[in-house]
């Protein structure tokens, strides 16, 4: 027999545990409780008390999630929340044995992101028609994407006031409005400076004066525009891979890592939320970040070689 008052009391205790002991954010806390509510609804329908639940019951619950079309990743998240709940019940001595201990999640395939070789990136950039008005702009876009490892949204929102080209950095606003300084390579700086000469011929519309990359209409570019531009250039270059703007970001990180760059520096430059903590930004010197990208990025190695004095070549 289900005791609703007892169940409600347990869930309130669990909520306090997540909030104060686990220090979960409000959104994460809501997600845990929403997923737990799915299990509670199942138990109510089946007439099963929390103390009486078995592994078979939990497996039946998970099978039901699959049957109603819940995605495998969502199933895995729900199962993770269930395990957290039963772990709490063990910690508080409400249960002696954990029925979720042997509960397995769905198999989630891991697909490695598509990566471009340096030669393929060269081929795509070489496919740009520089005789067109947007040619130099598109070249600057691709060099910036690849040289800085930006998300496409970060690129389209890049402002002139956020360029510190003399210092070799750009300021980027990433997910959650978190800002970071990203080293920018001499090659990308050169292409941006060439593009700005063309940009000065475009009349920016009101509220778009500070955007770096402008459309013909004088507004900032959309992510879809960048996506289509890259797709068309890849087709022209004969690249068969299924690529997107994010492919340049993956390639940036892979090529730096293969070149021997510090992994923690790469993660910070990418602005990954899971590691972009205050502690990391405190302990990684910005000059070190810049030296990592300048020394190890293949674009910069080639640029240095091509622009070295004759007696050094």
């Amino acid at each position: 027999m289900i005791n609703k008052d007892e169940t409600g009391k347990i869930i309130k205790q669990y909520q306090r545990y997540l909030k104060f002991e686990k220090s979960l954010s409000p959104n994460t806390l809501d997600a845990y409780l929403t997923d737990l509510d799915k299990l509670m609804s199942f138990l109510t329908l089946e007439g099963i008390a929390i103390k009486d639940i078995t592994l078979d019951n939990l497996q039946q619950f998970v099978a039901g999630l699959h049957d109603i079309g819940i995605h495998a990743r969502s199933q895995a998240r729900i199962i993770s929340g269930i395990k957290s709940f039963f772990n709490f019940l063990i910690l508080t001595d409400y249960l002696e044995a954990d029925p979720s201990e042997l509960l397995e999640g769905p198999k989630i395939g891991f697909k490695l992101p598509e990566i471009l070789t340096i030669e393929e990136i060269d081929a795509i950039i070489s496919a740009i028609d520089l005789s067109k008005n947007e040619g130099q702009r598109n070249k600057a876009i691709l060099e910036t994407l690849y040289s800085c490892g930006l998300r496409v949204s970060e690129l389209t929102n890049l402002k002139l006031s956020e360029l510190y080209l003399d210092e070799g950095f750009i300021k980027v606003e990433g997910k959650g409005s978190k800002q970071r300084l990203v080293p920018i390579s001499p090659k990308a700086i050169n292409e941006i400076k060439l593009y700005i000469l063309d940009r000065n011929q475009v009349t920016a519309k009101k509220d778009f004066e500070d955007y770096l990359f402008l459309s013909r209409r004088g507004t900032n570019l959309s992510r879809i525009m960048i996506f289509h531009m890259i797709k068309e250039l890849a087709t022209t270059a004969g690249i068969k891979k299924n690529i997107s703007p994010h492919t340049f970001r993956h390639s940036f990180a892979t090529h730096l890592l293969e070149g021997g760059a510090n992994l923690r520096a790469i993660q910070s430059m990418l602005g990954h939320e899971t590691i972009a903590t205050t502690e990391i930004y405190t302990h990684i010197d910005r000059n070190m970040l810049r030296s990592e990208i300048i020394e190890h990025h293949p674009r910069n190695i080639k640029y240095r070689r091509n622009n070295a004095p004759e007696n050094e070549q």
Side-chain angles (χ1 to χ4, degrees):
M1 187 74 177
I2 296 176
N3 186 324
K4 291 185 178 180
D5 290 338
E6 183 182 22
T7 300
K9 182 179 178 181
I10 292 169
I11 292 176
K12 284 185 178 179
Q13 290 174 343
Y14 179 55
Q15 183 176 358
R16 288 195 291 270
Y17 166 76
L18 293 177
K19 184 176 181 179
F20 299 112
E21 298 293 329
K22 304 295 287 185
S23 300
L24 298 186
S25 68
N27 287 341
T28 304
L29 177 60
D30 286 344
Y32 268 74
L33 295 177
T34 298
D35 290 341
L36 179 60
D37 186 59
K38 294 180 175 66
L39 175 63
M40 293 298 107
S41 296
F42 167 80
L43 295 179
T44 299
L45 287 173
E46 296 295 323
I48 303 170
I50 294 176
K51 281 187 175 182
D52 299 327
I53 195 167
T54 65
L55 175 60
D56 286 342
N57 298 144
L58 292 176
Q59 289 173 334
Q60 184 183 354
F61 167 70
V62 172
L65 297 177
H66 174 76
D67 290 342
I68 63 176
I70 292 181
H71 192 275
R73 290 190 183 278
S74 296
Q75 292 179 42
R77 187 199 68 234
I78 292 171
I79 291 171
S80 176
I82 289 173
K83 287 179 175 288
S84 169
F85 177 63
F86 282 103
N87 180 62
F88 163 76
L89 296 180
I90 296 294
L91 288 174
T92 55
D93 295 323
Y94 186 82
L95 291 179
E96 294 182 0
D98 183 358
S100 72
E101 185 175 3
L102 299 179
L103 184 63
E104 295 184 353
K107 302 298 182 183
I108 300 175
F110 179 74
K111 184 179 179 182
L112 290 173
E114 200 79 76
I115 301 296
L116 292 167
T117 65
I118 299 169
E119 292 74 21
E120 287 171 333
I121 288 174
D122 284 339
I124 291 173
I125 294 177
S126 296
I128 296 171
D129 186 350
L130 292 177
S131 67
K132 294 184 177 181
N133 292 334
E134 66 273 16
Q136 183 57 46
R137 181 202 67 188
N138 292 349
K139 189 173 184 180
I141 284 172
L142 293 191
E143 287 291 356
T144 304
L145 269 179
Y146 177 50
S147 295
C148 300
L150 301 183
R151 300 179 177 94
V152 66
S153 58
E154 294 171 347
L155 178 111
T156 56
N157 289 318
L158 195 58
K159 309 292 196 306
L160 288 167
S161 58
E162 296 169 337
L163 303 180
Y164 302 93
L165 302 184
D166 291 340
E167 293 81 4
F169 285 93
I170 58 175
K171 185 168 70 174
V172 175
E173 185 169 303
K175 291 184 176 180
S177 299
K178 293 181 179 178
Q179 294 184 333
R180 68 186 189 277
L181 285 177
V182 178
I184 182 167
S185 69
K187 175 65 174 172
I189 290 173
N190 184 60
E191 299 302 339
I192 287 175
K193 286 182 176 179
L194 291 173
Y195 158 65
I196 287 177
L197 298 175
D198 294 337
R199 185 194 179 283
N200 291 338
Q201 307 303 313
V202 178
T203 302
K205 289 191 175 180
K206 187 177 183 300
D207 298 327
F208 294 95
E209 297 89 350
D210 196 27
Y211 282 88
L212 173 59
F213 296 113
L214 295 178
S215 67
R216 297 175 185 175
R217 302 186 305 276
T219 60
N220 69 321
L221 300 173
S222 69
R223 291 180 292 179
I224 295 297
M225 293 172 68
I226 304 293
F227 180 86
H228 285 309
M229 181 258 287
I230 288 176
K231 284 286 190 181
E232 290 177 3
L233 288 173
T235 299
T236 302
I239 306 296
K240 304 296 184 182
K241 294 177 178 177
N242 183 26
I243 69 170
S244 69
H246 217 66
T247 309
F248 282 78
R249 180 171 161 87
H250 289 311
S251 302
F252 160 87
T254 301
H255 294 167
L256 278 180
L257 192 60
E258 290 175 347
N262 179 280
L263 179 60
R264 198 169 62 154
I266 297 172
Q267 291 172 326
S268 291
M269 285 185 278
L270 290 172
H272 281 160
E273 190 173 341
T274 52
I275 54 84
T277 61
T278 303
E279 179 183 359
I280 288 178
Y281 279 118
T282 300
H283 289 86
I284 295 182
D285 182 76
R286 288 193 181 116
N287 290 328
M288 185 274 281
L289 285 178
R290 178 161 170 74
S291 69
E292 287 288 338
I293 190 172
I294 296 302
E295 180 179 352
H296 298 290
H297 198 294
R299 219 33 165 198
N300 303 324
I301 296 171
K302 182 177 180 181
Y303 186 80
R304 286 198 304 270
R305 187 186 305 122
N306 292 341
N307 291 275
E310 291 186 6
N311 62 348
E312 292 183 13
Q313 294 187 6

